[in-house]
Amino acid sequence: MTNLATWIVQTLAANGVDTVFGIPGVHTIELYRALDGSGITHITPRHEQGAGFMADGYARVTGRPGVCFAITGPGLTNIATAMGQAYGDSIAMLVISTVNSAGAMGSGAGHLHELPDQQQLMSQVSAFSHTVLTVEEFPMVLSRALAIFASARPRPIHIEIPVDLLTADATRLGPARKLAVPSRPSAPETVLSTAAGLCERSARPLIIAGGGAVRAAEAIRELAERLDAPVLMTVNGRGILAGDHPLALPVWPGGQVGGAAMQEADLILAIGTELGPTDFEDRLVEHQSLSAPLIRCDVDAEQSVRGRLPDLPVVADASDFAGRLAARLPIRGTGQGTCRAARFRDALNADLTPRQRTSIRVIEYLRDSASGAVIVGDSTQPIYAACTAFAASAPAQFFCSATGYGTLGYALPAAIGAALGKPGSSPVFAVVGDGGLQFSLSEMGTAVEAGTNVIMILWNNRGYGEIKAHMERASVTPIGVDIHTPDFRLLANGYGWAYAKADNLRSLGAAISDAMALNRPAVVELDETSLNEAEEADSPGLG
């Protein structure tokens, strides 16, 4: 007999799942029995929130859904924050959990891990949450999840299974198999013709590319070059055009320069971006007055008409739309777009504060340390600066939790997930502040246990520095932001990480080189008060 737990694990493997994140519990042990010999690698975080963040990082670098197993009740409430971040950033995540058996489910009797209605709770941070009540139901629900991941806006999906159903006979489902999924939507010819006409009549087109377009980089580059159009990349869209491309605008859209680029354009093509307030600084009301027609391409029909209403909504895959539109357009070759992009980049550089320049330089050191380096950021000061003006080399090589849901504690576990999804010689950096790190500090143990070589860049300002700065600017006495700072060298040693402290950019470069030569995780601590570009102290080395 094949029980449902075994069928689930075998079917996940048949559909390309090679890694599952989760913490075993008494309600999920049948899933773990099925994992043995399945070929799927299991990663044990120290907290279910870490499992969700790891799945998020894994999904971003692989383009495949991150998968988690979670126990009933506290396992789900723990992972909900990570699902909220993934929901905000449209990241594919599959969370399979248990729920109490029929009769105990939501009974109010006080059964282990009981919640009144955990499906309703999880529906707030997922594309859908579904309770499977029969064996025959599961294949349809899993197919529905895979269809959304493959052809719609990818967001977390939660499937819960009563504990007693895991051991039910699933032989009648047949052998595990790859499930068929629909293709992504394609732009109609009539819509492409209308878009091409608008493009041909424009003199100053601008492309805005977001996180929904990271798999469409080649098509967007071709479109931009044919149109001679600068590409303004949101935070999640960084690297769609490499930073050294003459049409690249790795500029925060909500700033003065991003706003000026949109105001100057006579046509805007927004591809794979929700035009969200955390990217556009709540300036969408101002942008309502933009004179430029807006072509908006999104895989999600509902999202395509949120925020500023488009003149031409296009419900289509970003790569399909950009590639087929580019094929209809002649090559302009005027160079005006290149000049506009250079002018906006120069204006942005002139606006940066010395503190922002130093922070961005730190992130650039990481980018330039090795080909293919992945930088995962928390909500921390150097990442906020990087969101303003950092140019990534390729898509999915810079991402963070500083926009969208905006959670803390993201960078370390998400970097672990990215390292597991992208094994090899390219380093994965986790950029995190001392306050944010203490949300998920225990995942340092997971990094060692999983055999990753994550390099943590620890920005130490002895507290919640960004919040403190906001308080001071608002004339609020700082309360609750000056927190106890542990000895990170001792913590690193205790978890089996290498450690170095860098006081300036030169020593940072040397410390990073040393860290990459090691075969274990490493912490490079930066003291914000002593970091100064003019200093040339020697690197303390790693030990």
Side-chain angles (χ1 to χ4, degrees):
M1 182 192 84
T2 299
N3 67 23
L4 181 58
T6 300
W7 195 90
I8 289 170
V9 170
Q10 290 177 349
T11 301
L12 290 175
N15 285 272
V17 174
D18 58 14
T19 305
V20 168
F21 304 91
I23 300 175
V26 294
H27 283 179
T28 56
I29 58 174
E30 288 302 322
L31 289 170
Y32 284 82
R33 188 197 305 275
L35 277 175
D36 187 24
S38 67
I40 295 177
T41 298
H42 181 268
I43 303 297
T44 307
R46 301 306 182 257
H47 190 283
E48 285 89 357
Q49 180 174 283
F53 288 148
M54 289 175 199
D56 178 304
Y58 174 94
R60 293 195 199 228
V61 301
T62 64
R64 304 193 301 273
V67 180
C68 301
F69 288 167
I71 63 165
T72 320
L76 287 176
T77 54
N78 284 345
I79 204 173
T81 294
M83 292 175 68
Q85 183 69 45
Y87 186 93
D89 285 351
S90 301
I91 303 301
M93 181 188 301
L94 176 62
V95 177
I96 297 177
S97 81
T98 48
V99 66
N100 287 315
S101 303
M105 187 191 310
S107 68
H111 292 278
L112 179 66
H113 301 332
E114 182 183 346
L115 286 170
D117 188 343
Q118 68 177 29
Q119 182 200 89
Q120 180 63 29
L121 171 70
M122 302 315 291
S123 69
Q124 305 305 304
V125 287
S126 60
F128 74 80
S129 175
H130 188 101
T131 306
V132 174
L133 297 177
T134 68
V135 167
E136 289 80 7
E137 197 177 358
F138 188 85
M140 291 181 286
V141 178
L142 181 59
S143 292
R144 182 181 167 200
L146 296 179
I148 288 175
F149 295 150
S151 61
R153 186 177 190 176
R155 276 176 156 167
I157 288 170
H158 170 238
I159 302 174
E160 64 180 16
I161 307 159
V163 175
D164 58 342
L165 197 61
L166 290 175
T167 55
D169 186 359
T171 305
R172 56 190 179 276
L173 297 179
R177 64 194 183 278
K178 185 172 177 59
L179 301 173
V181 296
S183 58
R184 294 171 76 83
S186 183
E189 289 293 324
T190 54
V191 171
L192 285 170
S193 295
T194 302
L198 288 168
C199 289
E200 289 171 354
R201 291 190 293 273
S202 70
R204 299 179 304 280
L206 174 72
I207 296 171
I208 304 176
V214 294
R215 309 295 167 190
E218 183 177 346
I220 289 175
R221 178 183 54 77
E222 176 68 18
L223 177 61
E225 290 173 352
R226 283 182 175 269
L227 272 176
D228 191 28
V231 179
L232 178 62
M233 291 167 278
T234 69
V235 173
N236 282 330
R238 297 293 167 84
I240 287 176
L241 249 61
D244 58 359
H245 194 288
L247 290 170
L249 268 184
V251 173
W252 181 45
Q256 292 295 327
V257 174
M262 287 182 276
Q263 289 286 352
E264 184 180 282
D266 65 357
L267 176 67
I268 297 174
L269 296 92
I271 305 176
T273 171
E274 63 181 1
L275 301 178
T278 57
D279 260 317
F280 289 79
E281 188 62 6
D282 296 318
R283 294 176 64 183
L284 291 177
V285 173
E286 174 186 327
H287 294 159
Q288 296 282 358
S289 63
L290 293 175
S291 60
L294 173 64
I295 301 173
R296 190 167 178 186
C297 173
D298 202 292
V299 75
D300 182 348
E302 186 179 8
Q303 188 59 46
S304 70
V305 292
R306 282 197 176 113
R308 185 182 174 216
L309 294 177
D311 297 278
L312 179 64
V314 184
V315 180
D317 172 73
S319 184
D320 170 85
F321 171 71
R324 290 169 60 208
L325 178 59
R328 290 170 173 260
L329 300 174
I331 299 175
R332 292 189 176 186
T334 64
Q336 293 182 8
T338 297
C339 293
R340 286 162 53 214
R343 174 161 48 82
F344 288 128
R345 289 194 300 269
D346 289 344
L348 178 64
N349 290 332
D351 284 348
L352 294 175
T353 66
R355 181 180 179 183
Q356 286 176 316
R357 292 177 193 278
T358 299
S359 294
I360 293 169
R361 185 85 180 275
V362 168
I363 309 303
E364 289 174 343
Y365 263 67
L366 308 183
R367 178 198 64 197
D368 299 337
S369 63
S371 176
V374 176
I375 302 165
V376 185
D378 217 279
S379 293
T380 191
Q381 288 176 340
I383 294 299
Y384 290 132
C387 290
T388 301
F390 172 68
S393 299
Q397 290 186 0
F398 171 76
F399 52 89
C400 66
S401 62
T403 61
Y405 198 55
T407 186
L408 282 166
Y410 171 85
L412 173 57
I416 294 169
L420 292 166
K422 187 184 178 183
S425 58
S426 298
V428 176
F429 296 99
V431 182
V432 60
D434 59 292
L437 174 60
Q438 292 180 73
F439 277 61
S440 54
L441 179 66
S442 58
E443 303 303 349
M444 292 178 73
T446 309
V448 174
E449 186 174 272
T452 66
N453 296 329
V454 170
I455 300 173
M456 184 197 306
I457 307 301
L458 175 59
W459 184 267
N460 191 350
N461 54 23
R462 297 171 183 80
Y464 300 125
E466 189 69 18
I467 305 302
K468 183 176 183 177
H470 274 275
M471 285 180 159
E472 290 173 341
R473 286 196 294 270
S475 300
V476 174
T477 301
I479 296 174
V481 291
D482 294 312
I483 62 175
H484 174 71
T485 302
D487 187 326
F488 290 108
R489 178 190 292 274
L490 293 178
L491 285 170
N493 291 339
Y495 276 110
W497 289 51
Y499 174 88
K501 190 168 185 177
D503 295 322
N504 53 62
L505 291 174
R506 173 171 291 187
S507 61
L508 171 64
I512 290 170
S513 296
D514 288 349
M516 289 193 299
L518 300 172
N519 194 31
R520 58 182 173 133
V523 176
V524 178
E525 182 178 347
L526 299 176
D527 190 320
E528 183 193 20
T529 59
S530 61
L531 186 64
N532 189 315
E533 287 183 280
E535 295 178 9
E536 295 186 354
D538 292 333
S539 169
L542 286 145

